[in-house]
Amino acid sequence: MTLKVYCDRMSQPSRAILIFCKMNGIDFEEITINILKGEQHTPEYKAINPMSQVPMIVDGDFTLFERFLLFLYLLEFSHSILIYLCCKYPRVASHWYPSDLVERAKVHSVLDWHHANLRRGSVGVIVNNVLLPLNGVPSNPQLAEEAEKTLEKALTVLETFWLKDGPFLAGRSQPSIADLNLVSEVMELELLSEELHDRILSPYKKVLQWVEDTKSATAPHFEEIHGVLFKTRKEFRELMAAKSGKTE
Amino acid sequence: MTLKVYCDRMSQPSRAILIFCKMNGIDFEEITINILKGEQHTPEYKAINPMSQVPMIVDGDFTLFERFLLFLYLLEFSHSILIYLCCKYPRVASHWYPSDLVERAKVHSVLDWHHANLRRGSVGVIVNNVLLPLNGVPSNPQLAEEAEKTLEKALTVLETFWLKDGPFLAGRSQPSIADLNLVSEVMELELLSEELHDRILSPYKKVLQWVEDTKSATAPHFEEIHGVLFKTRKEFRELMAAKSGKTE
């Protein structure tokens, strides 16, 4: 039974899982759940995932003592999903999730750090600068400023700590699932206006290089999976430009 | 070389690690870094941990190809630390971190969920209702309300989802490192006033039972390690009572 990946390429953890499966030749079925259209709230989806989030994987597996369905859900669970896939499929190259305890602990540390730092900053900045304005909801300047500070602090830690000792996170020479997850998060910032995107990211030279290195290491799947994001970026920027034109 | 645990028993992840080491007979040296006194910001501590957080472990290990120091830091890293210790010490009972892929994925899922849900709610409620008032800083009612909502939502998910299928998280019959971490988080709410503590927690019968079950399963270490918290709770409640007396 083929692995089913319920996802939306507009969601950063969904992209990480799709790139990972393609990079490692894992046979899977991609089932799109369009978040912007609210498809995660349909009764059909809720029946299998009461938390209404993507990505989720369903793995019907006959190798275990009984047929089971494995549900891993919520945005935050892309880490668990990737770890599960690394351990389940022997063909996955070891650099994605090293078996050495210390190296593995480093990867776990980056993933742990991600939740309350880079993700929190990135999501906050996008909500306040893109999603709320596009939906005609006034953004709270205090919350927008706090989100930007959280993001800048996270980018500084990425630049000066996690990327201090090597091209990939935690001093590694090849990408791990942490790189894939965190680069997908940084890519979400493409949805910002070009001016804001560049103002926020340009001081972080190592971060920018690391994004490029991860792109190269996962070509051609990276560009392909990010196609929807680039298309949406164009639409969002046009909408934002039209909106700011109106208010002038 | 003995494992060194840099910690503060007032920090919930520190307590989880200490209880875990004692439960599993792991030989370690406890080095207290008093957070309330700001000892995590001393030059000596920063020299080994530039992020100024506890807990941290330092494991000088001769079994690897060279002597190394492993630093795992930041509050969020207690998950990584516990996983590392589970894998490193063969004597650790398997229920703490199951080797079965699906069972392990469930534990990872709970840990992933913890960061942006239970932890965020719990920390926000304590900061707004205890730490800010005790330091004479006016609490922002909007932020306090949001934190309480986040916490209540997290407790509801604990009650109706994570504790749906068994006495321990994710339907397990024995505690895992996820139970230890999340119960330590819930215990932090002891710092609230008795009235607020009971108002928030009393609707969650399964959560309360699970806390008791985890306490029993980790006796006598649970009570011993939480001794500092209980002492501080008494002091905080007296201080808060004195403060509210003044303003009447």
Side-chain angles (χ1 to χ4, degrees):
Chain A
M1 194 175 162
T2 310
L3 175 76
K4 288 188 170 70
V5 180
Y6 292 80
C7 61
D8 183 337
R9 290 185 182 200
M10 282 302 293
S11 108
Q12 52 276 50
S14 292
R15 292 195 299 272
I17 289 169
L18 293 173
I19 295 170
F20 177 84
C21 287
K22 292 200 171 212
M23 279 299 292
N24 289 288
I26 294 172
D27 192 24
F28 70 101
E29 181 187 349
E30 179 180 351
I31 300 157
T32 298
I33 302 295
N34 190 314
I35 300 175
L36 289 179
K37 288 190 187 159
E39 288 180 2
Q40 72 276 31
H41 299 299
T42 60
E44 294 75 22
Y45 191 67
K46 279 198 154 178
I48 47 172
N49 182 342
M51 293 203 196
S52 297
Q53 299 273 359
V54 292
M56 167 177 82
I57 66 169
V58 175
D59 191 10
D61 194 323
F62 292 100
T63 64
L64 294 184
F65 70 100
E66 58 175 351
R67 185 165 177 157
F68 75 95
L69 286 177
L70 170 66
F71 300 118
L72 291 175
Y73 8 64
L74 279 178
L75 274 178
E76 297 92 340
F77 293 177
S78 61
H79 299 174
S80 311
I81 294 175
L82 287 170
I83 292 173
Y84 172 82
L85 295 175
C86 284
C87 297
K88 168 142 189 202
Y89 293 94
R91 79 182 77 174
V92 173
S94 64
H95 62 86
W96 291 109
Y97 188 58
S99 54
D100 176 83
L101 278 193
V102 175
E103 292 304 310
R104 182 171 286 194
K106 288 179 185 170
V107 172
H108 282 158
S109 303
V110 181
L111 293 173
D112 279 346
W113 175 82
H114 178 205
H115 291 290
N117 298 283
L118 183 63
R119 177 179 298 283
R120 197 156 65 91
S122 154
V123 169
V125 164
I126 288 161
V127 166
N128 282 287
N129 292 283
V130 182
L131 300 184
L132 290 181
L134 275 183
N135 284 287
V137 181
S139 160
N140 178 328
Q142 194 194 336
L143 292 181
E145 197 186 317
E146 270 172 28
E148 201 172 320
K149 272 189 197 159
T150 303
L151 177 58
E152 285 177 350
K153 201 173 155 195
L155 289 167
T156 303
V157 173
L158 266 182
E159 179 90 3
T160 60
F161 183 71
W162 293 119
L163 291 168
K164 182 168 56 76
D165 298 323
F168 295 103
L169 298 168
R172 297 184 54 76
S173 59
Q174 285 181 287
S176 72
I177 52 173
D179 296 279
L180 205 46
N181 252 304
L182 275 69
V183 167
S184 294
E185 191 75 55
V186 171
M187 288 303 292
E188 201 71 7
L189 300 173
E190 293 285 329
L191 294 178
L192 300 175
S193 73
E194 197 171 350
E195 184 265 328
L196 182 57
H197 176 271
D198 292 352
R199 177 165 69 71
I200 290 179
L201 276 170
S202 62
Y204 304 99
K205 304 299 179 204
K206 280 190 183 174
V207 171
L208 292 170
Q209 185 58 50
W210 159 71
V211 171
E212 289 308 312
D213 290 342
T214 306
K215 273 185 198 177
S216 305
T218 55
H221 308 297
F222 192 97
E223 290 290 331
E224 187 226 323
I225 298 291
H226 279 80
V228 174
L229 183 81
F230 297 139
K231 192 168 157 277
T232 309
R233 171 183 64 184
K234 190 168 170 285
E235 290 166 7
F236 277 12
R237 287 185 178 173
E238 284 167 5
L239 276 169
M240 293 292 277
K243 272 193 185 271
S244 67
K246 269 186 208 158
T247 57
E248 266 165 14
Chain B
M1 194 175 164
T2 311
L3 175 76
K4 288 188 169 71
V5 180
Y6 292 79
C7 62
D8 182 337
R9 292 186 181 199
M10 282 301 292
S11 106
Q12 51 276 48
S14 293
R15 292 195 299 272
I17 289 169
L18 293 173
I19 294 170
F20 178 84
C21 287
K22 293 200 171 213
M23 279 299 293
N24 289 288
I26 294 172
D27 192 24
F28 71 101
E29 182 187 349
E30 178 179 350
I31 301 156
T32 298
I33 303 294
N34 190 315
I35 301 175
L36 289 179
K37 287 189 187 159
E39 288 179 3
Q40 73 276 31
H41 299 299
T42 61
E44 294 75 22
Y45 191 68
K46 279 197 155 178
I48 47 172
N49 181 343
M51 293 203 198
S52 297
Q53 299 273 358
V54 292
M56 166 177 82
I57 65 169
V58 175
D59 191 11
D61 192 325
F62 292 99
T63 64
L64 293 184
F65 69 101
E66 58 175 351
R67 184 167 177 156
F68 74 96
L69 286 177
L70 170 66
F71 299 119
L72 291 175
Y73 8 64
L74 280 177
L75 275 178
E76 297 91 340
F77 293 177
S78 61
H79 300 174
S80 311
I81 293 175
L82 286 170
I83 291 172
Y84 172 81
L85 295 175
C86 284
C87 298
K88 169 143 186 199
Y89 293 94
R91 80 182 74 174
V92 172
S94 64
H95 63 85
W96 292 108
Y97 188 59
S99 54
D100 176 82
L101 278 194
V102 176
E103 292 303 311
R104 182 172 284 194
K106 289 180 186 170
V107 172
H108 282 158
S109 303
V110 181
L111 293 173
D112 279 347
W113 175 82
H114 179 204
H115 290 289
N117 298 283
L118 183 64
R119 177 180 297 283
R120 197 156 66 91
S122 153
V123 169
V125 164
I126 289 161
V127 166
N128 282 287
N129 292 284
V130 181
L131 300 184
L132 290 180
L134 277 184
N135 284 288
V137 180
S139 161
N140 178 327
Q142 195 195 335
L143 292 181
E145 197 187 316
E146 270 172 27
E148 201 172 320
K149 271 188 198 159
T150 304
L151 177 59
E152 285 177 349
K153 200 174 155 193
L155 289 167
T156 303
V157 173
L158 266 182
E159 179 90 3
T160 60
F161 183 71
W162 292 120
L163 291 168
K164 180 168 57 77
D165 298 324
F168 296 103
L169 298 169
R172 297 184 54 74
S173 59
Q174 285 182 287
S176 73
I177 53 173
D179 297 279
L180 206 45
N181 252 303
L182 275 69
V183 166
S184 294
E185 192 75 55
V186 171
M187 287 304 292
E188 202 71 6
L189 300 173
E190 293 285 328
L191 294 178
L192 301 174
S193 72
E194 197 172 349
E195 184 265 329
L196 182 57
H197 176 272
D198 292 351
R199 177 166 67 72
I200 290 179
L201 276 170
S202 62
Y204 303 100
K205 304 299 178 204
K206 281 189 182 174
V207 171
L208 292 170
Q209 185 58 49
W210 160 71
V211 171
E212 289 308 312
D213 291 343
T214 307
K215 273 186 196 175
S216 305
T218 56
H221 308 296
F222 192 97
E223 289 290 331
E224 186 226 324
I225 298 292
H226 279 81
V228 174
L229 183 81
F230 296 139
K231 193 169 158 278
T232 309
R233 170 182 65 183
K234 189 167 172 286
E235 289 166 8
F236 277 12
R237 288 185 178 173
E238 284 166 6
L239 276 169
M240 294 291 278
K243 272 194 185 268
S244 66
K246 268 185 208 157
T247 56
E248 267 166 15

mmCIF file of all heavy atoms in Angstrom, chain B residues 44-76:
data_model
loop_
_atom_site.group_PDB
_atom_site.id
_atom_site.type_symbol
_atom_site.label_atom_id
_atom_site.label_comp_id
_atom_site.label_asym_id
_atom_site.label_seq_id
_atom_site.Cartn_x
_atom_site.Cartn_y
_atom_site.Cartn_z
ATOM 1 N N GLU B 44 31.381 32.867 32.905
ATOM 2 C CA GLU B 44 31.821 31.472 33.014
ATOM 3 C C GLU B 44 30.825 30.543 32.303
ATOM 4 O O GLU B 44 31.212 29.624 31.592
ATOM 5 C CB GLU B 44 31.930 31.027 34.489
ATOM 6 C CG GLU B 44 33.000 31.736 35.300
ATOM 7 C CD GLU B 44 32.617 33.161 35.691
ATOM 8 O OE1 GLU B 44 31.408 33.467 35.721
ATOM 9 O OE2 GLU B 44 33.529 33.974 35.932
ATOM 10 N N TYR B 45 29.545 30.794 32.544
ATOM 11 C CA TYR B 45 28.537 29.925 31.929
ATOM 12 C C TYR B 45 28.437 30.196 30.433
ATOM 13 O O TYR B 45 28.330 29.281 29.625
ATOM 14 C CB TYR B 45 27.170 30.126 32.608
ATOM 15 C CG TYR B 45 26.156 29.079 32.196
ATOM 16 C CD1 TYR B 45 26.311 27.748 32.569
ATOM 17 C CD2 TYR B 45 25.048 29.411 31.429
ATOM 18 C CE1 TYR B 45 25.398 26.773 32.185
ATOM 19 C CE2 TYR B 45 24.119 28.450 31.038
ATOM 20 C CZ TYR B 45 24.304 27.126 31.423
ATOM 21 O OH TYR B 45 23.389 26.178 31.036
ATOM 22 N N LYS B 46 28.499 31.481 30.081
ATOM 23 C CA LYS B 46 28.402 31.826 28.657
ATOM 24 C C LYS B 46 29.551 31.249 27.843
ATOM 25 O O LYS B 46 29.411 30.991 26.641
ATOM 26 C CB LYS B 46 28.368 33.347 28.493
ATOM 27 C CG LYS B 46 26.988 33.922 28.738
ATOM 28 C CD LYS B 46 26.896 35.328 28.162
ATOM 29 C CE LYS B 46 25.442 35.650 27.848
ATOM 30 N NZ LYS B 46 25.282 37.005 27.335
ATOM 31 N N ALA B 47 30.694 31.048 28.510
ATOM 32 C CA ALA B 47 31.854 30.496 27.794
ATOM 33 C C ALA B 47 31.540 29.093 27.279
ATOM 34 O O ALA B 47 31.985 28.694 26.206
ATOM 35 C CB ALA B 47 33.068 30.460 28.717
ATOM 36 N N ILE B 48 30.742 28.340 28.042
ATOM 37 C CA ILE B 48 30.393 27.002 27.549
ATOM 38 C C ILE B 48 29.031 26.983 26.871
ATOM 39 O O ILE B 48 28.723 26.112 26.082
ATOM 40 C CB ILE B 48 30.462 25.913 28.643
ATOM 41 C CG1 ILE B 48 29.767 26.361 29.932
ATOM 42 C CG2 ILE B 48 31.901 25.519 28.936
ATOM 43 C CD1 ILE B 48 29.655 25.247 30.955
ATOM 44 N N ASN B 49 28.180 27.953 27.167
ATOM 45 C CA ASN B 49 26.856 27.991 26.552
ATOM 46 C C ASN B 49 26.481 29.419 26.180
ATOM 47 O O ASN B 49 25.872 30.138 26.974
ATOM 48 C CB ASN B 49 25.810 27.400 27.518
ATOM 49 C CG ASN B 49 24.421 27.383 26.912
ATOM 50 O OD1 ASN B 49 24.152 28.074 25.928
ATOM 51 N ND2 ASN B 49 23.545 26.609 27.490
ATOM 52 N N PRO B 50 26.831 29.828 24.956
ATOM 53 C CA PRO B 50 26.594 31.218 24.565
ATOM 54 C C PRO B 50 25.125 31.607 24.549
ATOM 55 O O PRO B 50 24.794 32.787 24.521
ATOM 56 C CB PRO B 50 27.200 31.310 23.159
ATOM 57 C CG PRO B 50 27.415 29.916 22.694
ATOM 58 C CD PRO B 50 27.479 29.048 23.907
ATOM 59 N N MET B 51 24.233 30.635 24.572
ATOM 60 C CA MET B 51 22.812 30.978 24.544
ATOM 61 C C MET B 51 22.217 31.191 25.940
ATOM 62 O O MET B 51 21.032 31.495 26.064
ATOM 63 C CB MET B 51 22.028 29.924 23.786
ATOM 64 C CG MET B 51 22.374 29.896 22.308
ATOM 65 S SD MET B 51 21.046 29.164 21.370
ATOM 66 C CE MET B 51 21.900 28.766 19.856
ATOM 67 N N SER B 52 23.038 31.015 26.968
ATOM 68 C CA SER B 52 22.619 31.340 28.341
ATOM 69 C C SER B 52 21.324 30.668 28.783
ATOM 70 O O SER B 52 20.439 31.320 29.333
ATOM 71 C CB SER B 52 22.440 32.842 28.500
ATOM 72 O OG SER B 52 23.652 33.492 28.296
ATOM 73 N N GLN B 53 21.174 29.402 28.495
ATOM 74 C CA GLN B 53 19.943 28.730 28.904
ATOM 75 C C GLN B 53 20.265 27.439 29.648
ATOM 76 O O GLN B 53 21.343 26.870 29.484
ATOM 77 C CB GLN B 53 19.099 28.379 27.667
ATOM 78 C CG GLN B 53 18.659 29.567 26.857
ATOM 79 C CD GLN B 53 17.366 30.182 27.352
ATOM 80 O OE1 GLN B 53 16.768 29.706 28.294
ATOM 81 N NE2 GLN B 53 16.940 31.245 26.712
ATOM 82 N N VAL B 54 19.307 26.993 30.443
ATOM 83 C CA VAL B 54 19.412 25.679 31.064
ATOM 84 C C VAL B 54 18.172 24.881 30.710
ATOM 85 O O VAL B 54 17.147 25.470 30.404
ATOM 86 C CB VAL B 54 19.534 25.763 32.609
ATOM 87 C CG1 VAL B 54 20.843 26.361 33.009
ATOM 88 C CG2 VAL B 54 18.361 26.496 33.225
ATOM 89 N N PRO B 55 18.174 23.566 30.716
ATOM 90 C CA PRO B 55 19.311 22.725 31.075
ATOM 91 C C PRO B 55 20.284 22.542 29.916
ATOM 92 O O PRO B 55 19.969 22.783 28.766
ATOM 93 C CB PRO B 55 18.630 21.391 31.385
ATOM 94 C CG PRO B 55 17.459 21.355 30.455
ATOM 95 C CD PRO B 55 16.981 22.771 30.381
ATOM 96 N N MET B 56 21.450 22.107 30.281
ATOM 97 C CA MET B 56 22.476 21.758 29.299
ATOM 98 C C MET B 56 23.153 20.506 29.848
ATOM 99 O O MET B 56 23.266 20.351 31.058
ATOM 100 C CB MET B 56 23.474 22.899 29.195
ATOM 101 C CG MET B 56 24.753 22.542 28.472
ATOM 102 S SD MET B 56 25.862 23.959 28.288
ATOM 103 C CE MET B 56 26.666 23.964 29.883
ATOM 104 N N ILE B 57 23.614 19.634 28.960
ATOM 105 C CA ILE B 57 24.437 18.524 29.458
ATOM 106 C C ILE B 57 25.805 18.588 28.786
ATOM 107 O O ILE B 57 25.933 19.038 27.647
ATOM 108 C CB ILE B 57 23.815 17.125 29.228
ATOM 109 C CG1 ILE B 57 23.712 16.789 27.743
ATOM 110 C CG2 ILE B 57 22.454 16.996 29.894
ATOM 111 C CD1 ILE B 57 23.359 15.337 27.476
ATOM 112 N N VAL B 58 26.801 18.195 29.528
ATOM 113 C CA VAL B 58 28.143 18.080 28.964
ATOM 114 C C VAL B 58 28.574 16.645 29.181
ATOM 115 O O VAL B 58 28.568 16.157 30.318
ATOM 116 C CB VAL B 58 29.132 19.044 29.660
ATOM 117 C CG1 VAL B 58 30.547 18.810 29.138
ATOM 118 C CG2 VAL B 58 28.717 20.486 29.417
ATOM 119 N N ASP B 59 28.894 15.973 28.098
ATOM 120 C CA ASP B 59 29.191 14.554 28.183
ATOM 121 C C ASP B 59 30.564 14.282 27.571
ATOM 122 O O ASP B 59 30.721 14.195 26.372
ATOM 123 C CB ASP B 59 28.094 13.791 27.418
ATOM 124 C CG ASP B 59 28.180 12.298 27.669
ATOM 125 O OD1 ASP B 59 28.924 11.921 28.571
ATOM 126 O OD2 ASP B 59 27.491 11.550 26.961
ATOM 127 N N GLY B 60 31.544 14.202 28.438
ATOM 128 C CA GLY B 60 32.884 13.870 27.962
ATOM 129 C C GLY B 60 32.936 12.368 27.777
ATOM 130 O O GLY B 60 32.735 11.638 28.729
ATOM 131 N N ASP B 61 33.167 11.937 26.550
ATOM 132 C CA ASP B 61 32.997 10.512 26.296
ATOM 133 C C ASP B 61 34.210 9.945 25.567
ATOM 134 O O ASP B 61 34.569 10.407 24.500
ATOM 135 C CB ASP B 61 31.738 10.325 25.442
ATOM 136 C CG ASP B 61 31.320 8.877 25.376
ATOM 137 O OD1 ASP B 61 32.194 8.002 25.356
ATOM 138 O OD2 ASP B 61 30.125 8.644 25.339
ATOM 139 N N PHE B 62 34.817 8.932 26.162
ATOM 140 C CA PHE B 62 36.014 8.352 25.568
ATOM 141 C C PHE B 62 35.688 7.227 24.598
ATOM 142 O O PHE B 62 36.567 6.674 23.976
ATOM 143 C CB PHE B 62 36.956 7.828 26.660
ATOM 144 C CG PHE B 62 37.547 8.927 27.475
ATOM 145 C CD1 PHE B 62 37.028 9.259 28.705
ATOM 146 C CD2 PHE B 62 38.625 9.651 26.972
ATOM 147 C CE1 PHE B 62 37.571 10.290 29.440
ATOM 148 C CE2 PHE B 62 39.179 10.682 27.719
ATOM 149 C CZ PHE B 62 38.640 11.010 28.954
ATOM 150 N N THR B 63 34.430 6.858 24.524
ATOM 151 C CA THR B 63 34.092 5.737 23.651
ATOM 152 C C THR B 63 34.073 6.160 22.191
ATOM 153 O O THR B 63 34.118 5.332 21.316
ATOM 154 C CB THR B 63 32.716 5.132 23.992
ATOM 155 O OG1 THR B 63 31.722 6.125 23.745
ATOM 156 C CG2 THR B 63 32.655 4.681 25.437
ATOM 157 N N LEU B 64 34.010 7.452 21.915
ATOM 158 C CA LEU B 64 34.026 7.896 20.530
ATOM 159 C C LEU B 64 35.458 8.032 20.043
ATOM 160 O O LEU B 64 36.403 7.899 20.804
ATOM 161 C CB LEU B 64 33.282 9.221 20.398
ATOM 162 C CG LEU B 64 31.772 9.141 20.672
ATOM 163 C CD1 LEU B 64 31.123 10.479 20.408
ATOM 164 C CD2 LEU B 64 31.122 8.081 19.808
ATOM 165 N N PHE B 65 35.609 8.319 18.774
ATOM 166 C CA PHE B 65 36.961 8.310 18.214
ATOM 167 C C PHE B 65 37.849 9.427 18.746
ATOM 168 O O PHE B 65 39.040 9.355 18.712
ATOM 169 C CB PHE B 65 36.916 8.367 16.682
ATOM 170 C CG PHE B 65 36.434 9.675 16.136
ATOM 171 C CD1 PHE B 65 37.349 10.600 15.657
ATOM 172 C CD2 PHE B 65 35.083 9.982 16.107
ATOM 173 C CE1 PHE B 65 36.913 11.806 15.146
ATOM 174 C CE2 PHE B 65 34.652 11.185 15.594
ATOM 175 C CZ PHE B 65 35.563 12.095 15.122
ATOM 176 N N GLU B 66 37.233 10.441 19.276
ATOM 177 C CA GLU B 66 38.039 11.426 19.987
ATOM 178 C C GLU B 66 37.222 11.986 21.128
ATOM 179 O O GLU B 66 36.002 11.884 21.143
ATOM 180 C CB GLU B 66 38.490 12.553 19.048
ATOM 181 C CG GLU B 66 37.341 13.267 18.397
ATOM 182 C CD GLU B 66 37.805 14.463 17.566
ATOM 183 O OE1 GLU B 66 38.981 14.802 17.665
ATOM 184 O OE2 GLU B 66 36.970 15.048 16.887
ATOM 185 N N ARG B 67 37.917 12.563 22.046
ATOM 186 C CA ARG B 67 37.212 13.138 23.181
ATOM 187 C C ARG B 67 36.353 14.282 22.650
ATOM 188 O O ARG B 67 36.788 15.075 21.829
ATOM 189 C CB ARG B 67 38.251 13.683 24.157
ATOM 190 C CG ARG B 67 37.635 14.210 25.403
ATOM 191 C CD ARG B 67 38.712 14.418 26.428
ATOM 192 N NE ARG B 67 38.111 15.003 27.614
ATOM 193 C CZ ARG B 67 38.628 14.900 28.806
ATOM 194 N NH1 ARG B 67 39.738 14.249 28.987
ATOM 195 N NH2 ARG B 67 38.033 15.461 29.838
ATOM 196 N N PHE B 68 35.147 14.355 23.089
ATOM 197 C CA PHE B 68 34.330 15.462 22.609
ATOM 198 C C PHE B 68 33.496 16.041 23.753
ATOM 199 O O PHE B 68 33.302 15.422 24.787
ATOM 200 C CB PHE B 68 33.404 14.999 21.489
ATOM 201 C CG PHE B 68 32.261 14.162 21.995
ATOM 202 C CD1 PHE B 68 31.029 14.734 22.262
ATOM 203 C CD2 PHE B 68 32.418 12.810 22.234
ATOM 204 C CE1 PHE B 68 29.985 13.970 22.747
ATOM 205 C CE2 PHE B 68 31.370 12.038 22.727
ATOM 206 C CZ PHE B 68 30.153 12.630 22.985
ATOM 207 N N LEU B 69 33.072 17.220 23.533
ATOM 208 C CA LEU B 69 32.129 17.831 24.455
ATOM 209 C C LEU B 69 30.821 17.992 23.707
ATOM 210 O O LEU B 69 30.800 18.512 22.591
ATOM 211 C CB LEU B 69 32.607 19.221 24.893
ATOM 212 C CG LEU B 69 33.763 19.278 25.874
ATOM 213 C CD1 LEU B 69 34.144 20.733 26.116
ATOM 214 C CD2 LEU B 69 33.407 18.602 27.180
ATOM 215 N N LEU B 70 29.775 17.523 24.278
ATOM 216 C CA LEU B 70 28.483 17.688 23.633
ATOM 217 C C LEU B 70 27.699 18.745 24.399
ATOM 218 O O LEU B 70 27.455 18.630 25.581
ATOM 219 C CB LEU B 70 27.717 16.374 23.656
ATOM 220 C CG LEU B 70 26.260 16.480 23.215
ATOM 221 C CD1 LEU B 70 26.157 16.855 21.752
ATOM 222 C CD2 LEU B 70 25.552 15.184 23.474
ATOM 223 N N PHE B 71 27.344 19.769 23.720
ATOM 224 C CA PHE B 71 26.537 20.807 24.341
ATOM 225 C C PHE B 71 25.135 20.777 23.735
ATOM 226 O O PHE B 71 24.989 20.921 22.519
ATOM 227 C CB PHE B 71 27.116 22.205 24.051
ATOM 228 C CG PHE B 71 28.499 22.381 24.574
ATOM 229 C CD1 PHE B 71 29.542 22.664 23.714
ATOM 230 C CD2 PHE B 71 28.759 22.295 25.922
ATOM 231 C CE1 PHE B 71 30.830 22.838 24.192
ATOM 232 C CE2 PHE B 71 30.041 22.469 26.410
ATOM 233 C CZ PHE B 71 31.090 22.742 25.551
ATOM 234 N N LEU B 72 24.183 20.585 24.565
ATOM 235 C CA LEU B 72 22.804 20.693 24.088
ATOM 236 C C LEU B 72 22.136 21.750 24.955
ATOM 237 O O LEU B 72 22.057 21.607 26.159
ATOM 238 C CB LEU B 72 22.076 19.368 24.261
ATOM 239 C CG LEU B 72 22.528 18.232 23.367
ATOM 240 C CD1 LEU B 72 21.798 16.958 23.733
ATOM 241 C CD2 LEU B 72 22.284 18.563 21.912
ATOM 242 N N TYR B 73 21.736 22.798 24.337
ATOM 243 C CA TYR B 73 21.209 23.848 25.195
ATOM 244 C C TYR B 73 19.824 24.325 24.817
ATOM 245 O O TYR B 73 19.187 23.781 23.951
ATOM 246 C CB TYR B 73 22.108 25.074 25.229
ATOM 247 C CG TYR B 73 23.251 25.119 24.288
ATOM 248 C CD1 TYR B 73 23.052 25.149 22.923
ATOM 249 C CD2 TYR B 73 24.535 25.149 24.784
ATOM 250 C CE1 TYR B 73 24.126 25.227 22.077
ATOM 251 C CE2 TYR B 73 25.609 25.216 23.943
ATOM 252 C CZ TYR B 73 25.405 25.251 22.590
ATOM 253 O OH TYR B 73 26.462 25.327 21.754
ATOM 254 N N LEU B 74 19.471 25.402 25.457
ATOM 255 C CA LEU B 74 18.180 26.056 25.313
ATOM 256 C C LEU B 74 17.077 25.259 25.980
ATOM 257 O O LEU B 74 17.071 24.042 25.954
ATOM 258 C CB LEU B 74 17.802 26.276 23.837
ATOM 259 C CG LEU B 74 18.450 27.469 23.142
ATOM 260 C CD1 LEU B 74 18.033 27.491 21.694
ATOM 261 C CD2 LEU B 74 18.055 28.757 23.816
ATOM 262 N N LEU B 75 16.167 25.974 26.527
ATOM 263 C CA LEU B 75 15.013 25.335 27.155
ATOM 264 C C LEU B 75 14.421 24.239 26.288
ATOM 265 O O LEU B 75 14.110 23.156 26.743
ATOM 266 C CB LEU B 75 13.916 26.380 27.373
ATOM 267 C CG LEU B 75 14.002 27.215 28.641
ATOM 268 C CD1 LEU B 75 12.882 28.218 28.661
ATOM 269 C CD2 LEU B 75 13.933 26.321 29.866
ATOM 270 N N GLU B 76 14.291 24.549 24.997
ATOM 271 C CA GLU B 76 13.605 23.606 24.111
ATOM 272 C C GLU B 76 14.374 22.304 23.946
ATOM 273 O O GLU B 76 13.845 21.345 23.408
ATOM 274 C CB GLU B 76 13.414 24.203 22.712
ATOM 275 C CG GLU B 76 12.541 25.431 22.653
ATOM 276 C CD GLU B 76 13.337 26.709 22.788
ATOM 277 O OE1 GLU B 76 14.481 26.632 23.290
ATOM 278 O OE2 GLU B 76 12.831 27.759 22.411
#
